[in-house]
Amino acid sequence: MSTAIEIRSAPHIKAPRTVEQIMRNVVGSLLPVCAFFVYQYGVSALASLLCVTAACLFTERLFVKTGTQSGSLSDWSAVITGLLLALTLPPGFPLWMGCVAGVVAIALGKALFGGIGFNVFNPALVGRAFVQAAFPVAIASYTPSFLPGRFINFIPSTLAWPMMQPPDTTAWLQNMQIDGLSGATPLAKWKFDGLMVLPQDLLSSLAGHMAVGPSPLLILACGAYLALRRFMDWRIPVAILGSAGLTAWMLYGLDPVRYPNPFFMMFSGGLMLGAIYMATDMATSPVTPRGMWVYGALIGVLTVVIRYYSGLPEGVMYAILISNAATPLIERITQPTPFGKSGLLQPKRGASYPLHPEYISREEANAVTPKKRLLKNKPKP
Amino acid sequence: MKFLNFLRGETFARGIHPPQNKHTAHTPIRRLPFAPELVVPLSQHIGKAPRPMVQVGQEVVRGQPIAKGEDWLSVPHHAPATGVVEAIELRPSARGPWTESIIIRPYAGATQEDLWGVPRDTSVMDGPEILQAVWDSGLVGLGGAAFPTHAKLMVPKQAKVHTLVVNGCECEPYLTCDHRVMLENTKELILGMQLAMRATGAVRGIVGVEDNKPDAVAAIQSVIDATRLDNIFVEAVPTKYPQGSEKMLLMALFGVEIPSGALPVSLGMVMNNVGTLAALGQLLPAGQGLTERVVTIAGPGVSRPGDYRVPLGTPISFVLEWAGASAQPSSHAPSACQLVLGGPMMGQAVASLDTPITKGVSGILVFHPEDMADRDGRRTFPCIKCGECVESCPMGLNPSALGMLAAKREYELMGQRYHLGDCFECGCCTYVCPSNIPLVQQFRIAKQVLREKASAL
Ligand code: SF4
Ligand code: SF4
């Protein structure tokens, strides 16, 4: 053999999974959510998705080009940020504000920390937090979904001139003579008007009928797909929804008149999107399995607390951002227990052969003779 | 995840399932002819290298001792062929540095029978006699670690051994030599187990075999049934890498964790590899020394893969030629290939084709650049903290955190706070990392640095 020999160190094989593949799959799973979002809100939603994503990609490219951050567009992570950011904005959000959000998301949320993997806060939420502070009115004006003519006409606020306040949509809505549908989200209604959402309304809001943004049920389904293919950790969403539901249920038990039922808590607002797509952002969530539970539980509880006791109708964003900041601490206190340090010297229940720390006799050994078990390690009684 | 493991019937937490690629599992072991020159390195095992007993120009017969153990952790070597000692000189070794080796030129016309061994009745040998015989046979762990077998079977006085555990997992992809040995040398394996049990004082022996080899389990069970043995069992454990690790197999069979830093013997158990015990059952009754071993030759670059019985000292180039590794670079356009001694997960890349097969070599794998392209073409990303490595580390470490510290050269912290010392370099973390970070490679460096620092003190 006259061939050159290459030397590398073990392992010499590699699992097929790559970062690009993970990101591509997340984007893929977001597409149905986006499609339904467009179906709900028409051209305005489509324009918003495209503009915000483009702004994110442009900013990412800029920073990669100038060498400020590592990474490239081919890793798809900027697309995820763009799509998620657009999904958290109201459908009629002025496009120029959406672009600002996209630029801020990548520049402050990601590039500032050094690019993919190094960011501390979820970039999409950084962008959203910025516009929430900068444009509080625009971000609170939701329009109802399934408006007639949504595929032909933009919601007037969408096309506001840059640096201009968007026109008020209330008059426009009244013009369209759709009474009984206000632009407030169910959460805002509950919070500011003290109106409890009726069960049938809640059900329709699950499918995305009311002014709620993307459909929680669809997000749940797409998240389940991601989790099953192991592109997302299932622990975090389960912990968030579980703890939010539990906290809300406890409060509801204390005072059912003042607090909404836990079901409403779990399915309203941005909790589903946040729990499944935002909180699970790998770079900003703990790596340790135990840490994931703690982190998820923290988000769930914080969400409910902020929703109930602050002046804001929605609490998911701040809950996630606060927990992002707490991630290094959570990680530090939830390191996995190394093998052999758990003190598990006694056999676990279900171990195939009992183990005697001291010498055992022939008779004893024979007494524990197992039946031959092929292909299964059935526990012995 | 524990719950999922429970549902799947898995045996230890975490671990990975790389593609098995055991293409040579169903072809019988074949014998390899003698190479024109056999290179027997003196240092083939953990412990001190033995001292040569032959002179240049001396004729040796197959099986004759040619090097003598110097101390406790040193085993003798036996001539792998009848021939003449051509030289005693430095030759390249798999690890790179040149080591002292005995070069033997086999006689072309010799029958190459083992002329040295004297058959003996093993049924009358007691423990110390068996240990001495094992020592004389030059047997070391054939699974890859190459730890002298007599030392492993020697139980410390204060310890009491009740169980001999035999490791038939062979969890590395591609390798099938243990599998074939279990099928073809079952009787020797059982005999070897009985001898080892007598030597250690164990009252029962358990063979743990991964359930991807049901035929091996059946073969061993049929011998057990036929000879009505009541103290030897065979148990199928679910397939998973790195089940072949001592600690993981004990976890799978008994559900106990060997404490960090402790040996199985502290729990009354001694573990050996199936190949080693089968060799023991073969060599002791014949009174022979170890002169050959079974090696899996496989990988995408080999056209006649299989398990071969190879005389120790056969140069790798000879073996590869025989197994049809493409000697011409033309068939694979880029002019590089990669050779691995052992399995693809933990095996060692070899630097020179002149290096010989030694006692610890369980496989030779040949990969071509095309096979590697997918891996090398990948970009390396910063850690995206996906947690895959944490999810796969059988030792319950946090390779993500370790990797970040390694990048910052915080080696002490890795050892102190993140239990670097427990890492046994199985490579699961590197295998799964989507960011293509060479985690275990960094850990090896870190461990090396720490060792050097410790010895400098
Ligand atoms: S190489 Fe070490 S750190 Fe990596 S998975 Fe194996 S034991 Fe864990
Ligand atoms: S597998 Fe790689 S990218 Fe994922 S957490 Fe571990 S080191 Fe980071």
Side-chain angles (χ1 to χ4, degrees), chain A residues 225-250:
Chain A
Y225 161 82
L226 271 189
L228 283 177
R229 294 211 46 205
R230 299 197 49 246
F231 288 110
M232 179 191 85
D233 206 284
W234 56 275
R235 295 179 184 90
I236 294 174
V238 168
I240 295 177
L241 295 175
S243 68
L246 212 65
T247 318
W249 177 70
M250 273 171 8

Side-chain angles (χ1 to χ4, degrees), chain A residues 4-50:
Chain A
I5 301 173
E6 296 206 1
I7 307 282
R8 296 190 193 82
S9 59
H12 306 280
I13 50 175
K14 194 91 177 68
R17 178 167 291 195
T18 61
V19 172
E20 287 99 332
Q21 189 196 0
I22 297 176
M23 300 297 174
R24 262 203 317 272
N25 272 277
V26 176
V27 172
S29 80
L30 269 173
L31 289 182
V33 180
C34 294
F36 193 75
F37 191 56
V38 172
Y39 176 62
Q40 274 174 298
Y41 295 104
V43 277
S44 297
L46 183 65
S48 172
L49 283 166
L50 291 178

